[in-house]
Amino acid sequence: MVNLTIDGKAVTVPTGTTILEAAQSIGIEIPHFCYDKDLTVFGGCRICVVEVEGARNLQASCSTPVTPGMVVWTESERVVKTRQMILELLLGNHPVDCIVCDKTGDCLLQDYCYRYGVKESPFIGEKKQLELDRDNHLIERDQNKCILCGKCVQVCHDVQVTGTIDFVERGFYTRVTTPYDLPLNTEICRFCGQCVGVCPTGALVNKQFKGTRPWEVSKVRTTCLFCGVGCNFDLNVKDGRVIGVTPTPEAPVNGRSLCVKGRFHKDLLYNPERITTPLIKRDGQFVEASWDEALDEIASRLKEIVAADGANAVAALSSARCTNEENYLMQKFMRTAVGTNNVDHCART
Ligand code: FES
């Protein structure tokens, strides 16, 4: 364990902890664009710099491990001035259209500019003029709003292992783009949306959230219906309707990862063909029934068949749309209550 002091507070953390993590452990939030606890340290944005007594230069807190006796200041005058300049440099090449930007209220650049009182950039010069990529119907990509933190690149390569996007060019012309600058399409992208989830600005936007401000939605945590893995996410509800899905970082099964179905297919919820009540076939036609009627029907028919022909005359086929727990219960019910091992599952394709 290492003992150090951060902003006058004593803290003890395991060897190898970074200054940023040590600060977080005692509730001190150091700003960061490129750091993400689930990704490899990139150390590119420098907004996380702090003052370490005895060190000549400011240190990037996300990539500097703590050392015994270290004395750290996270908001000293020098640190604040440096952060303000970093923000001014970023704003110098960033559209300042926050009034109409879809990410307003959920943008780290906006938050940090507010925190450090940066309203505009003194650095006047050429700005990026890159084309918007909005041909697909899920993700809008505006590279003019990209601050090159690299999180989308890392998550695409290291977490999703797809490699749809990467850095190209150098210096002022550096940008994150697809092979040959192609628009996002299903040949090069799985549309998992991981990049959208980590983007700190309006460079990558889920189109389902366009026209909605973050404070207009309430979040309801649930388990995804698409398969038995049991991924958790938050349904984002506006005016009583689900408008989209955002990941729940602390989800035990999936963390922040979601597949294209879980992240984008909220249309399933409002599909008019969705069956919302049990149906019983009577005289060759399905007719709507209550749950009590349906369960009574199942129980009496099962009993009838088992009494006439034995338990092996029935089988249960359960669904990949159920949770693992529901599927477990189905096979348990068949084996112990009905007395047959005739169980199967539609995911066994
Ligand atoms: Fe530390 Fe970007 S957060 S360099």
Side-chain angles (χ1 to χ4, degrees), residues 20 31-35 42-49 60-63:
L20 188 142
H32 50 273
F33 286 123
C34 69
Y35 166 81
F42 179 56
C45 75
R46 313 315 268 186
I47 195 76
C48 69
V49 287
S61 62
C62 69
S63 54

Side-chain angles (χ1 to χ4, degrees), residues 172-193:
F172 179 81
Y173 302 101
T174 309
R175 64 189 195 283
V176 171
T177 192
T178 55
Y180 308 107
D181 266 337
L182 289 170
L184 286 179
N185 64 52
T186 49
E187 279 167 33
I188 56 168
C189 177
R190 296 181 194 177
F191 287 98
C192 63

Side-chain angles (χ1 to χ4, degrees), residues 114-174:
Y114 183 72
R115 178 166 161 180
Y116 293 105
V118 175
K119 284 194 282 191
E120 56 195 1
S121 176
F123 303 107
I124 312 296
E126 197 182 340
K127 288 203 179 205
K128 286 182 274 193
Q129 301 284 347
L130 299 163
E131 255 180 58
L132 256 65
D133 173 7
R134 48 158 68 133
D135 288 354
N136 69 84
H137 54 271
L138 299 178
I139 298 172
E140 184 168 295
R141 217 160 49 95
D142 182 354
Q143 296 174 66
N144 302 305
K145 291 182 180 168
C146 174
I147 58 167
L148 303 174
C149 71
K151 286 200 283 199
C152 57
V153 174
Q154 268 207 49
V155 85
C156 189
H157 283 254
D158 301 344
V159 178
Q160 199 63 22
V161 198
T162 305
T164 302
I165 45 176
D166 211 333
F167 287 106
V168 296
E169 307 278 7
R170 290 289 178 270
F172 179 81
Y173 302 101
T174 309

